Structure formats: C-alpha cells, structure tokens
Amino acid sequence: MARWSKIAKGEERRRVAVRRAARRAELSEIVRLLSSTGTERVAAQRELARQPRDASATRVRNRDSVDGRPRRYLRAFGLSRVNLREQAHAGFLAGARKSSW
C-alpha cells in the first residue's frame, strides 16, 4: 500500500499536466518547427522552462487503482502484479485464467 501523500501528490500532478498540456504542445511545436524564427524559438523555450515541473506529463506516475502501488504496473488492467494475481484467482477479471501445463 502506497502512502496517501504520494497518491495525492500523483493526482495533483495529473491534474496540472492535463490543465497545461495544450499550452505545452503549442510551445513545443514552435520550438520544433523550422519555419519559426530564432527569437520565437528562444521565447518558447524560456516559457517552457518557466512552467512548473509538474506540468510535464512524464512526471505522472502510473499507480495501481486498488492500493496505489507504483511498481510493476500493468496498463491493460490498471493493476499491479500483486492485485492482478489476487483478482484473477478470485475470478474478478473476465477472461483471465491461471495457466497450467
């Protein structure tokens, strides 16, 4: 079980990243385009640098939806390996079976 403070911090990062995603995309596009002038590029880079760190989507950490575990997260289920195994054995995941051969 993850600490509640870490889970809350992750949710706040997710909200900030979503709120600022459009502006970051615009600025990144200005920096990337060859048609933009040098001064436009420098201004866009400076504005990107002035934005909060948490505005970047790469700072958002995927966590288990049940207990917030940050490691060994499986995107297809939204669970960590521990909870995936427990829920699959209990029959809560449709189509998931324990394999044996």
Side-chain angles (χ1 to χ4, degrees), residues 25-45 48:
E26 289 173 13
L27 294 171
S28 297
E29 188 67 17
I30 291 170
V31 171
R32 190 185 66 79
L33 284 176
L34 296 175
S35 61
S36 59
T37 64
T39 55
E40 288 175 342
R41 276 195 187 128
V42 170
Q45 287 172 342
L48 272 172

Side-chain angles (χ1 to χ4, degrees), residues 78-99:
L79 299 170
S80 66
R81 64 178 176 81
V82 175
N83 284 318
L84 175 75
R85 186 172 190 272
E86 288 175 0
Q87 290 190 16
H89 284 226
F92 296 136
L93 300 176
R97 294 175 34 176
K98 183 176 179 187
S99 65

